[in-house]
Amino acid sequence: MRIRPRRNRRSDAIRGLVREPLVRPDQLVHPIFLLPGEGKRETLTTLPGYPRLSADEAEREIEEMLALGVSSFISFPAVPDDKKDTVATYGSSPENFYLTSARRWKEKYPEICLISDVAMDPYSSDGHDGLVVGSRIDNDKTLPILTDMSVAQAQAGFDYLGPSDMMDGRVGYMRDALDKAGYTETGILSYTAKYASAFYGPFRHALDSAPREGSTAPTHKKSYQMDPANRREALREAFLDSEEGADVLMVKPAVHYMDIISDLRQNSQLPICCYHVSGECAMLLGAIERGWLDESAIFETITSLGRAGADMIITYVGRRYVASL
Ligand code: PBG
């Protein structure tokens, strides 16, 4: 045997020489579940050990992540029921704690990259990402609501806006509204290929944002989020988002959609982000907690996402990934 691949695996030193690039801490995005008020810190049961925080408590989290080399954050609001209505009014209200926290963090930590979520669901009494009209989610009537929300978020200082709603045409619509309002520098990190997935469960629990039983619309999001079977359709969405002016394309979920990450990486010149979603992280964390998996499963998962072609990764296990490096 002349060719023996094992020669290149003989020692740590040799393995280090031949190792392909790992995901760096500055490629990670750390999610923050934001509570209104001050001094609040709760732990989620459906995403073991992960917190929901008020803006002041989140500052501690931001500082800890910065010390680890993670400098990007995406936040999501847990909105009290009495602030929800059918048209998501609170989403663009100047008193919205989501917007005031962004302003506060960007003033205190100007070096961070702060990413928003643009969709109606945290503010919607129907629990849908778009406007419910009868039994349907109305695409075109949702667009102005999303653009109002976008301009308010840009004004609050978010660096990238993340439309997660999957309405048709929203990226172009948002881009025009942002430019018109003077926010030409604010980027759009588009949830390009977002699938109708069971893996968002812990997130919806954290924000109490699931589609509501009492709504006239269905309790699922399949009329706007993509069918998990569809691979080619992701390229169609990627083409549209690029044409409409997106700065970054996202695939979501991540681990179960690595073929999509790879397809987009090979077919687009834009940076590719993937969202290692709550349910995917909960599987890992739950199994590690029970001793069914070793902690190194976290390193392996994040490494695999980088290998598939993700330039940036939103994940709830970033802290533990960095600790494993
Ligand atoms: C809301 C939104 C969701 C997630 C991010 N933004 C949930 C959904 O679409 O129902 C899920 C993220 C996660 O599970 O970690 N539009």
Side-chain angles (χ1 to χ4, degrees):
M1 234 193 293
R2 288 186 300 275
I3 298 174
R4 288 181 180 271
R6 287 187 56 195
R7 283 186 206 115
N8 288 346
R9 299 178 202 141
R10 269 182 305 140
S11 66
D12 276 339
I14 291 171
R15 288 189 287 272
L17 286 174
V18 302
R19 179 172 243 183
E20 296 178 40
L22 295 179
V23 173
R24 306 180 310 271
D26 64 359
Q27 292 176 278
L28 301 178
V29 180
H30 187 70
I32 297 172
F33 292 129
L34 187 67
L35 293 169
E38 297 274 312
K40 288 198 236 150
R41 175 176 282 267
E42 300 169 5
T43 304
L44 294 169
T45 47
T46 51
L47 191 50
Y50 211 79
R52 298 204 306 178
L53 306 162
S54 53
D56 55 327
E57 286 289 323
E59 290 183 8
R60 235 203 301 156
E61 190 95 348
I62 291 172
E63 284 167 20
E64 285 169 13
M65 296 311 290
L66 281 172
L68 295 174
V70 176
S71 43
S72 296
F73 301 86
I74 185 166
S75 61
F76 300 96
V79 179
D81 258 352
D82 62 357
K83 297 253 187 313
K84 299 187 186 188
D85 61 22
T86 55
V87 291
T89 311
Y90 190 64
S92 47
S93 148
E95 300 101 75
N96 182 348
F97 64 94
Y98 184 65
L99 302 174
T100 53
S101 70
R103 194 166 289 121
R104 167 177 172 161
W105 296 336
K106 284 295 290 182
E107 262 166 38
K108 195 154 177 191
Y109 312 102
E111 72 272 37
I112 67 172
C113 170
L114 191 59
I115 304 167
S116 76
D117 187 70
V118 180
M120 288 177 64
D121 58 332
Y123 308 105
S124 153
S125 46
D126 289 297
H128 273 287
D129 296 15
L131 185 71
V132 173
V133 177
S135 59
R136 295 176 47 250
I137 314 299
D138 192 305
N139 192 89
D140 297 8
K141 289 201 174 81
T142 300
L143 297 176
I145 299 173
L146 297 178
T147 51
D148 284 354
M149 201 182 282
S150 300
V151 171
Q153 291 177 353
Q155 200 170 14
F158 283 98
D159 296 283
Y160 284 99
L161 309 186
S164 68
D165 54 287
M166 289 302 278
M167 296 300 123
D168 293 336
R170 90 276 207 212
V171 171
Y173 216 84
M174 282 170 59
R175 186 69 271 161
D176 288 347
L178 290 170
D179 290 352
K180 207 161 134 209
Y183 298 106
T184 54
E185 298 281 284
T186 306
I188 298 179
L189 191 166
S190 180
Y191 287 63
T192 296
K194 176 172 179 178
Y195 288 86
S197 172
F199 292 99
Y200 309 149
F203 176 99
R204 291 180 187 171
H205 175 256
L207 301 186
D208 187 24
S209 64
R212 300 266 163 112
E213 286 291 345
S215 172
T216 50
T219 52
H220 61 73
K221 299 188 174 182
K222 292 179 197 174
S223 75
Y224 44 106
Q225 299 180 350
M226 288 170 57
D227 184 332
N230 292 1
R231 183 168 177 174
R232 293 187 305 263
E233 196 180 342
L235 290 174
R236 190 172 187 221
E237 290 282 2
F239 172 77
L240 288 170
D241 280 1
S242 309
E243 290 288 297
E244 290 175 33
D247 299 282
V248 182
L249 305 181
M250 190 205 292
V251 176
K252 175 185 177 187
V255 176
H256 299 81
Y257 295 80
M258 286 198 203
D259 53 336
I260 313 298
I261 297 173
S262 170
D263 284 355
L264 262 55
R265 170 66 296 143
Q266 286 170 43
N267 288 285
S268 173
Q269 283 78 48
L270 289 173
I272 305 299
C273 177
C274 70
Y275 199 145
H276 185 211
V277 298
S278 58
E280 294 180 318
C281 291
M283 286 169 65
L284 271 177
L285 295 171
I288 292 168
E289 197 173 79
R290 282 165 182 75
W292 296 345
L293 283 179
D294 186 74
E295 177 80 15
S296 62
I298 290 178
F299 172 84
E300 188 176 334
T301 302
I302 299 299
T303 301
S304 304
L305 295 173
R307 200 188 58 233
D311 299 292
M312 51 183 107
I313 301 172
I314 305 174
T315 178
Y316 303 88
V317 298
R319 191 190 286 272
R320 287 165 73 164
Y321 168 74
V322 176
S324 75
L325 289 177

